[in-house]
Amino acid sequence: MSDPKKQLDQMIAGVRTGRMTRRDFIGRTTAMGLSAGLAGALFSKAAKAEEPKKGGILRAGISGGESSNSLDPALSASPAPNNTVSLWGELLFYVKPDGSLDPRIAEEFSSSPDSKVWTFKIRSGVEFHNGQTLTAEDVIATYRRHTDENSQSGAMGIVQGIEDMRAEGDKLTVTLGAGNVDLPYMLADYHLTIQPGGGYDDPAAGIGAGPYKVKSFDPGVRVTFSRFENYFDSSIGHADEAEILVINDNTARTAALQSGQIHIMNRVDPKIADLLRTTPNVEIKQVSGRGQFLFLMHCDKPPFDNNDLRMALKMAINRQEIVDKVLGGLGSRGNDFPINAAYPLFDDTIPQREYDAAAAADYYEKSGHDGSPIVLRTAPGAFPGAVDAANLFAASANAAGIPLQVQVEPDDGYWDNVWNVQPFCASYWSGRPVQDQMYTTAYLSTADWNDTKFHNAKFDELLIAARGELDEAKRKGIYSEMAYIVRDEGGVILPMFNDFVDGVRTEVGGWVEDPNAEMMNYRALARCWLT
């Protein structure tokens, strides 16, 4: 039976976000045993407390910031820049917490029966921060910039499938080389922030059409914003100013929240989540989703170009131990492919991979590895508990006779100098709304952010086939085959899917659980307010 307090909290959250009417709330709470008078009072309090208020300075302490960070959305790869671009930028679509689409720059859309030709109606009257009016041509230029290999864009795999784009007034027509029923979800990728002229002149100018304008940018330290008065959506952007303080150290970030120096923090350390719940004026916001903490091997670099060695390491990690000891139960086991039950068309019949020291030893012997140390690089900020997870991995691997050695790197520079550079390292993904986007961004051979350097022609062929398959049963079968290929041949060791755990002070209103990513899918500062 469900916890009554949790049920009540969920219903109050429903009132606060407009998903539950007064009639429904009172009906359900009285059925739980509350009097009609108390139920009515609770509803009024919840509804009144969540009326948006304008004004003030809303501050967040965010990890994952570095001195090398840029305002170029193509390069956004960690929490600080992800939260930053979501404040000043806009997309054709957002993905709502329930998984449906929220049209933003694109007001309407439609597709041909084969999903190859898509038409988007661009919202009229949207203004960039520099006073220019956003047009369909700006959208085209933005997408073209992300197809350029020199852009190093995390969305390159998404836009490479576009064959042609045309603008006719407010109508944008996109023609794909192969059908893709999920294209609108793909275009909700935060890298594809619409910029004036596509951002060609200065991609790091920080000029967009979002709810806040960049006031100052001190990379790896602090970013400040002021509300954009000409923003097209009055329901977003409530604070006069917003501020991101880069605080990579978990202890310092937590202390800043407890003292009131910041109002919101990301990535609460699972070890202290329960303790933080007891702190006055602080709430823990936790939601399960598609987030994943993992270890990446480059399939094209020795010794990881040997699949027997990759399999040895996959068999040598104790996933349940890491979920229990690192996440404190705030997550679930992974299975060495980046999809879980939060994704549509997930195949739950794929056997769960377990720790097997004997099998790991057999694969290791078969690989012919010379016995030299296998170095796994990590950093405290790679993900909460990353160093502990790496050490647990090393211990279980060593027990199987595999000489795994952990090397701890500094947080500053990790996402530039280690991730996607070194052949074996700790990393994370927030996940993506649909399987195609997750696989296209990180596993397609031509994707710039293929961070395991996984090149598999059969996998690529299946990915393209799945995009245009309208029969869901057939599409699910294709995704299942792709999952097996990644699981058994790929370079990802995925021990756990993490819950998104953020800390929020009680004076913050408007918080909504969003399984798409931490910090309300990086939009907490844009959508929340000070009560």
Side-chain angles (χ1 to χ4, degrees), residues 2-321:
S2 299
D3 180 353
K5 183 181 183 303
K6 187 173 182 180
Q7 280 186 303
L8 183 59
D9 288 343
Q10 289 174 341
M11 287 188 283
I12 289 173
V15 172
R16 290 174 172 174
T17 57
R19 299 194 306 269
M20 181 170 283
T21 65
R22 179 184 182 88
R23 180 178 180 180
D24 289 340
F25 181 84
I26 292 177
R28 291 178 63 179
T29 50
T30 52
M32 293 171 62
L34 273 69
S35 69
L38 178 56
L42 280 174
F43 178 89
S44 298
K45 183 178 180 181
K48 183 177 180 181
E50 289 303 302
E51 291 176 358
K53 295 183 179 178
K54 301 291 184 182
I57 302 175
L58 190 58
R59 294 185 175 91
I62 304 296
S63 64
E66 302 173 311
S67 57
S68 59
N69 285 157
S70 167
L71 288 176
D72 181 355
L75 305 178
S76 187
S78 55
N82 292 354
N83 280 277
T84 297
V85 72
S86 293
L87 276 174
W88 65 260
E90 267 295 349
L91 303 162
L92 253 61
F93 303 96
Y94 292 163
V95 178
K96 294 180 181 179
D98 63 6
S100 62
L101 287 169
D102 177 12
R104 305 303 298 166
I105 299 303
E107 282 187 303
E108 302 171 4
F109 64 97
S110 61
S111 75
S112 60
D114 61 1
S115 301
K116 281 189 175 182
V117 181
W118 288 82
T119 303
F120 305 94
K121 182 179 182 296
I122 302 303
R123 188 182 299 274
S124 63
V126 175
E127 187 177 313
F128 285 118
H129 301 155
N130 63 2
Q132 292 179 221
T133 298
L134 189 153
T135 67
E137 284 83 0
D138 293 307
V139 180
I140 290 175
T142 294
Y143 293 170
R144 281 184 177 151
R145 186 174 78 84
H146 287 264
T147 65
D148 185 346
E149 291 185 3
N150 293 327
S151 72
Q152 300 179 297
S153 174
M156 186 181 296
I158 294 172
V159 293
Q160 279 181 333
I162 297 175
E163 279 195 348
D164 183 60
M165 292 180 285
R166 299 191 314 276
E168 300 174 52
D170 63 0
K171 186 174 79 170
L172 168 65
T173 302
V174 175
T175 302
L176 306 177
N180 189 340
V181 297
D182 286 332
L183 181 66
Y185 286 92
M186 312 287 275
L187 300 181
D189 188 287
Y190 55 84
H191 298 98
L192 296 175
T193 293
I194 310 303
Q195 295 177 273
Y200 276 100
D201 291 340
D202 187 358
I207 296 173
Y212 286 88
K213 298 188 296 184
V214 176
K215 284 180 60 181
S216 66
F217 177 56
D218 188 356
V221 180
R222 181 172 177 255
V223 194
T224 63
F225 307 84
S226 61
R227 186 168 61 220
F228 180 40
E229 297 298 340
N230 292 340
Y231 184 56
F232 68 89
D233 186 350
S234 62
S235 70
I236 298 175
H238 304 291
D240 290 333
E241 298 182 17
E243 186 174 334
I244 291 175
L245 297 173
V246 177
I247 310 176
N248 288 320
D249 182 79
N250 287 332
T251 301
R253 200 163 64 255
T254 303
L257 182 72
Q258 291 173 311
S259 67
Q261 179 187 357
I262 58 174
H263 302 103
I264 306 170
M265 67 172 282
N266 74 329
R267 296 195 173 185
V268 171
D269 189 331
K271 291 180 181 178
I272 65 166
D274 285 340
L275 178 63
L276 200 54
R277 292 181 204 274
T278 66
T279 301
N281 302 316
V282 170
E283 297 177 341
I284 296 298
K285 304 295 187 179
Q286 173 190 344
V287 61
S288 299
R290 307 171 191 91
Q292 50 204 257
F293 295 158
L294 40 78
F295 302 105
L296 305 171
M297 301 175 285
H298 286 185
C299 298
D300 63 347
K301 296 183 179 67
F304 310 105
D305 54 351
N306 184 318
N307 194 43
D308 288 324
L309 181 69
R310 298 198 297 269
M311 284 297 296
L313 290 165
K314 291 174 184 178
M315 302 303 296
I317 189 168
N318 190 326
R319 294 163 181 78
Q320 191 61 57
E321 180 183 38

Side-chain angles (χ1 to χ4, degrees), residues 274-492:
D274 285 340
L275 178 63
L276 200 54
R277 292 181 204 274
T278 66
T279 301
N281 302 316
V282 170
E283 297 177 341
I284 296 298
K285 304 295 187 179
Q286 173 190 344
V287 61
S288 299
R290 307 171 191 91
Q292 50 204 257
F293 295 158
L294 40 78
F295 302 105
L296 305 171
M297 301 175 285
H298 286 185
C299 298
D300 63 347
K301 296 183 179 67
F304 310 105
D305 54 351
N306 184 318
N307 194 43
D308 288 324
L309 181 69
R310 298 198 297 269
M311 284 297 296
L313 290 165
K314 291 174 184 178
M315 302 303 296
I317 189 168
N318 190 326
R319 294 163 181 78
Q320 191 61 57
E321 180 183 38
I322 289 179
V323 169
D324 293 340
K325 293 182 178 179
V326 174
L327 292 185
L330 301 178
S332 60
R333 283 189 297 174
N335 203 16
D336 297 339
F337 64 99
I339 307 301
N340 63 0
Y343 281 91
L345 308 183
F346 169 68
D347 182 359
D348 60 3
T349 68
I350 297 175
Q352 172 63 51
R353 181 163 281 159
E354 305 286 351
Y355 173 59
D356 189 332
D362 288 344
Y363 274 115
Y364 181 70
E365 182 178 2
K366 187 179 176 183
S367 76
H369 187 255
D370 62 10
S372 60
I374 299 171
V375 178
L376 169 61
R377 288 173 168 81
T378 186
F383 58 77
V387 175
D388 291 339
N391 286 329
L392 288 170
F393 185 9
S396 61
N398 293 164
I402 300 174
L404 184 58
Q405 177 180 305
V406 176
Q407 181 170 316
V408 179
E409 305 280 356
D411 280 328
D412 191 50
Y414 186 81
W415 300 107
D416 284 325
N417 304 323
V418 179
W419 175 76
N420 219 8
V421 176
Q422 296 294 337
F424 195 19
C425 74
S427 187
Y428 80 96
W429 279 91
S430 295
R432 295 295 187 269
V434 292
Q435 293 198 39
D436 181 50
Q437 188 176 7
M438 185 67 241
Y439 282 132
T440 297
T441 304
Y443 293 87
L444 182 66
S445 296
T446 55
D448 199 61
W449 280 14
N450 179 348
D451 52 9
T452 55
K453 315 306 178 189
F454 175 63
H455 297 158
N456 186 292
K458 179 63 175 177
F459 177 87
D460 292 351
E461 177 185 320
L462 290 169
L463 178 59
I464 301 303
R467 288 175 179 171
E469 180 55 67
L470 301 180
D471 184 309
E472 284 202 349
K474 291 180 180 179
R475 201 172 190 216
K476 182 175 180 178
I478 296 172
Y479 282 143
S480 179
E481 188 174 352
M482 291 164 58
Y484 274 106
I485 291 174
V486 171
R487 177 179 181 265
D488 296 336
E489 301 178 40
V492 63

